[in-house]
Amino acid sequence: MDNCERPIGVFDSGLGGLTVVKEILKNLPNENIIFFGDTGRVPYGGRSKETITQYVKDDMDFLLSHGVKAVVIACNTADSMARETVENLYNIPIIGVVSPAAKKAANATKNGRIGVIGTKATVKSGAYLRAISAYSPETEVFVAACPLLVPLVEEGRFQKGDIVPETVLKEYLEPLKEKEIDTLILGCTHYPLLYDIVASILPDVQIICSGPASTEALIETLSVNSLLNRSSSPGSISYFVSDSPDSFSKNGSIFIGKEINSGVKLVNL
């Protein structure tokens, strides 16, 4: 198989990374994709750095066993805690979600005040603060851990008009609103499903999702490395999980925006 036709690997601790896959499918429809959701060990957010790093190595090894040409870490926690380690271990292009979103936010802000919401592990890592500072040292960054949002999204509680997620988000976002941020990074791949609620609470704030940002970085990386698939045929996508394929098929369609009709395969790492 020609290098260009090899698949792109994408992994996440669970379902959220499918919001990144959705963007890849939209912008690179002729690419082949292998998605792995580590649903048997989700969530990564409450684990130690050592444990998360080992999980990420396992995920990388699985995707590499399928001959992928590049890997997208579609999980903010995994990216923020383990990306530097795996970049030194694997000789393959690796695209995260933190740096692309940070770059986009740094370019978007007008008043130099950026907010970031994410899991406890992502916030604790300081990855967004470092990434934004690398692109714009003078920018002020305000972060907020939002541990209730992932469970709410996975329970289907993300629609505008639902008082539960609206109340929780108002509590999380009010301190950032008081800081007069003009740009907000949704620092978890689950959070795009909450976009409408966030936008209603912060109507004058630019909202940055990691899916579009990381897809732009992926396209650039593939182009630079002459790895873009030039085929005119539609690409394929294969799904693998480490637990509950039926549940993944049912709930994953919410994240990717279409039915997951192809068989989801169960694997043991």
Side-chain angles (χ1 to χ4, degrees):
M1 181 186 293
D2 187 282
N3 279 347
C4 297
E5 296 177 357
R6 287 160 52 201
I8 297 166
V10 184
F11 76 85
D12 181 29
S13 60
L15 298 168
L18 291 172
T19 60
V20 177
V21 174
K22 181 180 179 180
E23 292 297 325
I24 297 173
L25 290 172
K26 183 167 70 175
N27 291 278
L28 295 169
N30 56 337
E31 292 285 354
N32 302 305
I33 299 171
I34 292 179
F35 177 83
F36 175 65
D38 195 6
T39 49
R41 302 189 294 197
V42 69
Y44 284 7
R47 314 276 185 171
S48 68
K49 179 179 176 64
E50 292 74 21
T51 298
I52 293 170
T53 300
Q54 184 57 58
Y55 287 178
V56 171
K57 289 178 184 177
D58 294 341
D59 301 340
M60 289 289 300
D61 289 340
F62 173 77
L63 291 174
L64 288 169
S65 73
H66 284 77
V68 298
K69 62 185 178 182
V71 172
V72 179
I73 303 177
C75 172
N76 281 265
T77 299
D79 186 21
S80 62
M81 300 291 276
R83 183 164 177 245
E84 289 183 10
T85 299
V86 296
E87 277 187 328
N88 292 325
L89 291 175
Y90 299 93
N91 186 27
I92 188 173
I94 299 174
I95 297 89
V97 284
V98 173
S99 183
K103 181 179 181 180
K104 198 162 190 174
N107 290 333
T109 184
K110 298 294 191 294
N111 70 357
R113 303 172 74 82
I114 297 174
V116 181
I117 56 174
T119 66
K120 286 183 178 180
T122 297
V123 169
K124 185 179 179 181
S125 75
Y128 272 105
L129 179 59
R130 292 192 298 274
I132 294 170
S133 296
Y135 292 113
S136 180
E138 303 303 317
T139 297
E140 293 185 87
V141 182
F142 307 94
V143 298
C146 305
L148 295 178
L149 296 185
V150 168
L152 281 171
V153 170
E154 294 204 340
E155 287 296 323
R157 307 296 295 270
F158 53 81
Q159 301 288 353
K160 190 176 177 183
D162 187 332
I163 191 172
V164 176
E166 287 183 348
T167 301
V168 171
L169 272 165
K170 283 177 182 176
E171 182 173 329
Y172 285 147
L173 295 175
E174 189 59 37
L176 298 179
K177 189 175 184 179
E178 291 175 357
K179 297 294 184 181
E180 299 182 346
I181 62 168
D182 74 344
T183 305
L184 176 71
I185 296 174
L186 303 186
C188 174
T189 50
H190 280 70
Y191 296 177
L193 275 73
L194 296 160
Y195 186 100
D196 290 344
I197 300 177
V198 174
S200 69
I201 297 170
L202 302 173
D204 300 319
V205 172
Q206 299 181 79
I207 301 171
I208 306 295
C209 297
S210 52
S214 58
T215 298
E216 290 172 12
L218 172 64
I219 293 170
E220 181 180 351
T221 299
L222 293 178
S223 179
V224 167
N225 288 279
S226 300
L227 289 173
L228 283 170
N229 192 334
R230 302 299 181 183
S231 170
S232 58
S233 303
S236 64
I237 180 165
S238 300
Y239 300 97
F240 297 87
V241 295
S242 54
D243 193 30
S244 304
D246 291 341
S247 176
F248 178 88
S249 297
K250 178 182 177 182
N251 298 322
S253 61
I254 298 170
F255 289 80
I256 203 167
K258 66 175 185 176
E259 292 296 318
I260 296 178
N261 295 316
S262 59
V264 179
K265 298 180 179 65
L266 178 66
V267 296
N268 293 314
L269 296 182

